[in-house]
Amino acid sequence: MIRCHRLEHRFVCNFPDRLEPGVLYVSMEFGTATHSCCCGCGEEVVTPFSPTGWKMTYDGETVSVWPSVGSWTLPCRSHYVIDRGRVLEAGHWNNSQVAAVRQRDITTSASGDTPAATTTPPQPTSISTVRDEKLLSWWARLCLWLSAWRR
Ligand SMILES: [Zn+2]
């Protein structure tokens, strides 16, 4: 059960020893956010940001965290989404879901963070293209000159 339906964000340098419920502490320095579990159990939930992990979106007013926060290591097994400062319950974890996510996390960290080469290297401009452009501008100038002369 979610008790806290809103999370107010707070950009901090260091996380406080005691987390205030209903506050999402975001540290850009550590690339991590933390908050007191929204079920009210008082457990600390840490969401480190990484290319393969959680991502934070700040729209100038509210903060969203994606994907969902699944506290499957906590006794409460809370699972929710932080969307624009709102806490949306995302259904309870069952044992097979926990096992699947655990497996996915292991696979993701094992494969590493090396991004696949999706961009093609820039192609050098071919000399013939440059020549054609010069030729075209030469013709364009000649045509202009001819049309002016004809008048
Ligand atoms: Zn909890």
Side-chain angles (χ1 to χ4, degrees), residues 11-26:
F11 293 110
V12 292
C13 293
N14 293 298
F15 298 126
D17 293 332
R18 223 188 133 269
L19 301 176
E20 222 177 284
V23 178
L24 179 75
Y25 298 89
V26 183

